[in-house]
Amino acid sequence: MKKPTTITNKTWAQLRVGDSASIERVCADRDLFLFAHVSGNTNPLMLPGVEGEKPAEAPIAPSMWVGSLVSAVLGNILPGPGTLYLEQNLQFFKRVHVGDRLKVSVTCKEKRDEPVVVFDTSIVNGGGEPVCQGLAIVNAPTRNIETPVRELPALIMEEKEQFPHLIALAAQLPRLKTVVVCPEDHNSLGGPLLAYDKGLIEPIFIGDLERISAAAHALDADISAFRVIDEKNHRAAAGRAVAMVRAGEAGAVMKGDLHSDDLLAAVVAKDGLRTGRRISHVFVLDTLTLDDLLLVSDAAINIAPDLLTKVDIVQNAIDLALACGMEPKVGVLSAVEVINPAIASTLDAAILSKMAERGQIRGGAVDGPLAMDNAIDMDAARTKGIVSLVAGHANVLIAPNLESGNLLAKELTFVSHAEAAGLVVGASAPVILTSRADNENARLVSCALAQLYAYWRKNGRPFTGAAPAKNLAAE
């Protein structure tokens, strides 16, 4: 049924005793959080538990939130716009929990001297049981008002944990043996230890033994059960880690407290983890406003990629998206959505799009050039007259160069409050390349990405939940 675009009222003169109106509303977690913000009431009985923890009891909706639903009927429907409260009393009979469907009704009981009107108010649950009853006394409007239905500004709520689906999925796989290079501070050691606790990896630590031990002491962590290889030189530590992966002793490499160049030099060396494809970095972002994950590449390795490098960047990003169970829709970004020979990135984007059509890039839909707005937003795409499988729906964004990609990923992280993880792909094994400033959660999710990507490389399909029998250590 088409939603009304305007709302109208009934004046005091038009109201008749017996007139009634109602709405239905389902109580959601979001309602409880928003009410807590507005009211300041953070009673733990009335807030959902921390994600991943099973609450002792389902949260109870605050009674005043339940009662406040009456105002939506009075203010929007009957009498409608222009109504002002004078008095409201409420009596509560049953508790409301998340998921309960409520029917909120008002009925005109009495008309007093203009403009005063008395309404019976009632709220019943999905089983027809009374939840709340009361009496409302209002000043009804004295003139007819017709007003457009107002779209309220969107509210973004931050969650404490991101990527829960990826972590839960990866935890079903056997632990991935991972060489952690120079975990010599609390973040670079705490991340892999958290990933171990979550069942994602089996870490092998290589670096300065004294500094690793000091980091463990600072975390109050016992690392005696793990293999620790003493190597004080960062470049040498990275080389030994890559050699262990090549020898089948581990299935992935993870960056610790060392410079990215030191690790990547070992990865791309002739005796490193080279394949026939250029390596690239993919940021995977869990945003607050998009339903799907968002991948951004390349923002960390290839500074000014030429066309052939971009082919590999696109293919690498598609592969990781597939490993995460996504249907890749790749938007190749530029400043504009039309081909302009003066803007080289528009030419590259158009060629990449045609290469995907011809099967030279596989596994996802690719379109470009696209500006950021019409890559992500359907209304922007329609306004510009762009019709494609990707425009307005892109979940993989390919930046023209490292600078723009890095700016985009960092803006989404620090301004738009997206949670970010990342992985280097295109090598013969996953390379978990996080910033030294990344927190433990970013490293945890990056380990989950490595797990899923390793499985996809071995099996040619995403992991969907049925844990395989074989260990991934030798991948």
Side-chain angles (χ1 to χ4, degrees):
M1 186 171 70
K2 189 176 180 181
K3 291 183 178 180
T5 57
T6 61
I7 57 175
T8 58
N9 63 1
K10 273 193 174 183
T11 64
W12 181 92
Q14 293 168 329
L15 280 168
R16 298 291 181 266
V17 173
D19 286 349
S20 65
S22 64
I23 62 170
E24 291 193 1
R25 175 74 175 264
V26 176
C27 179
D29 280 347
R30 182 181 178 86
D31 296 318
L32 307 193
F33 282 122
L34 289 173
F35 188 82
H37 271 285
V38 172
S39 67
N41 177 8
T42 57
N43 183 343
L45 292 177
M46 298 172 182
L47 286 174
V50 176
E51 188 167 358
E53 294 182 5
K54 187 176 180 180
E57 187 178 340
I60 299 167
S63 295
M64 292 309 296
W65 174 81
V66 176
S68 72
L69 300 179
V70 172
S71 67
V73 188
L74 293 171
N76 293 342
I77 307 175
L78 190 75
T83 301
L84 293 173
Y85 255 122
L86 293 174
E87 184 180 330
Q88 173 80 62
N89 64 61
L90 298 166
Q91 187 176 7
F92 299 96
F93 305 104
K94 292 188 72 67
R95 300 300 178 191
V96 173
H97 298 86
V98 171
D100 287 354
R101 179 176 291 277
L102 304 174
K103 183 176 182 180
V104 186
S105 303
V106 303
T107 303
C108 181
K109 179 181 181 180
E110 177 188 351
K111 291 178 67 177
R112 298 180 180 175
D113 292 341
E114 187 176 3
V116 178
V117 183
V118 181
F119 286 89
D120 282 321
T121 64
S122 70
I123 301 175
V124 298
N125 61 23
E129 300 170 303
V131 170
C132 173
Q133 289 181 352
L135 204 67
I137 304 176
V138 302
N139 278 344
T142 56
R143 62 183 180 87
N144 285 118
I145 299 173
E146 182 174 348
T147 183
V149 174
R150 183 167 180 177
E151 293 292 333
L152 296 176
L155 295 177
I156 298 174
M157 293 176 56
E158 292 190 54
E159 301 293 342
K160 289 187 177 179
E161 286 196 37
Q162 303 291 333
F163 302 110
H165 52 300
L166 288 186
I167 295 170
L169 195 62
Q172 297 177 51
L173 289 163
R175 296 180 189 272
L176 179 63
K177 278 192 177 180
T178 302
V179 189
V180 186
V181 186
C182 303
E184 297 168 358
D185 73 342
H186 65 283
N187 275 338
S188 58
L189 181 62
L193 290 177
L194 180 60
Y196 174 80
D197 288 340
K198 296 289 186 180
L200 302 183
I201 67 170
E202 181 183 333
I204 302 168
F205 301 123
I206 182 168
D208 187 319
L209 180 58
E210 290 184 6
R211 294 186 63 191
I212 295 173
S213 298
H217 180 74
L219 290 169
D220 196 23
D222 181 6
I223 60 171
S224 61
F226 302 109
R227 183 181 176 190
V228 182
I229 301 170
D230 188 21
E231 177 55 72
K232 291 179 172 53
N233 182 280
H234 284 185
R235 284 257 173 166
R240 290 184 67 175
V242 167
M244 291 174 68
V245 173
R246 285 179 59 88
E249 296 179 53
V253 177
M254 183 173 185
K255 178 185 171 225
D257 187 26
L258 77 162
H259 200 281
S260 297
D261 288 349
D262 289 334
L263 180 60
L264 293 176
V267 171
V268 301
K270 288 184 178 180
D271 57 349
L273 303 178
R274 282 188 182 185
T275 64
R277 191 186 296 177
R278 288 289 295 267
I279 65 169
S280 57
H281 181 272
V282 184
F283 273 110
V284 180
L285 299 124
D286 197 346
T287 66
L288 298 171
T289 55
L290 298 178
D291 294 332
D292 206 353
L293 295 173
L294 182 66
L295 277 60
V296 176
S297 190
D298 180 354
I301 294 178
N302 296 284
I303 297 172
D306 59 17
L307 176 63
L308 292 180
T309 301
K310 287 183 180 180
V311 172
D312 287 344
I313 289 171
V314 173
Q315 190 65 66
N316 287 341
I318 288 174
D319 290 352
L320 183 56
L322 291 171
C324 292
M326 299 169 61
E327 182 181 343
K329 295 181 176 66
V330 183
V332 187
L333 298 180
S334 186
V336 295
E337 65 281 345
V338 295
I339 298 170
N340 184 341
I343 305 176
S345 60
T346 67
L347 301 176
D348 287 349
I351 296 169
L352 291 167
S353 179
K354 180 57 69 174
M355 291 177 74
E357 287 182 18
R358 299 288 173 87
Q360 292 173 270
I361 297 173
R362 299 180 180 180
V366 181
D367 192 19
L370 293 173
M372 181 67 182
D373 55 351
N374 45 61
I376 292 292
D377 185 79
M378 195 64 225
D379 287 338
R382 287 197 194 100
T383 300
K384 297 290 182 70
I386 305 171
V387 179
S388 78
L389 293 174
V390 175
H393 302 288
N395 53 19
V396 178
L397 301 176
I398 303 301
N401 52 45
L402 182 145
E403 291 168 303
S404 57
N406 195 274
L407 288 169
L408 173 59
K410 295 296 175 63
E411 186 277 334
L412 289 169
T413 302
F414 291 98
V415 178
S416 301
H417 303 288
E419 288 288 330
L423 198 67
V424 172
V425 286
S428 60
V431 179
I432 303 166
L433 188 74
T434 53
S435 168
R436 282 177 285 180
D438 281 341
N439 61 25
E440 291 181 356
N441 194 59
R443 297 168 194 270
L444 170 67
V445 181
S446 298
C447 290
L449 293 174
Q451 276 271 46
L452 298 173
Y453 181 64
Y455 180 90
W456 183 86
R457 287 190 68 252
K458 182 177 179 66
N459 298 279
R461 56 184 173 83
F463 178 66
T464 56
K470 288 188 177 181
N471 195 298
L472 293 176
E475 286 192 36

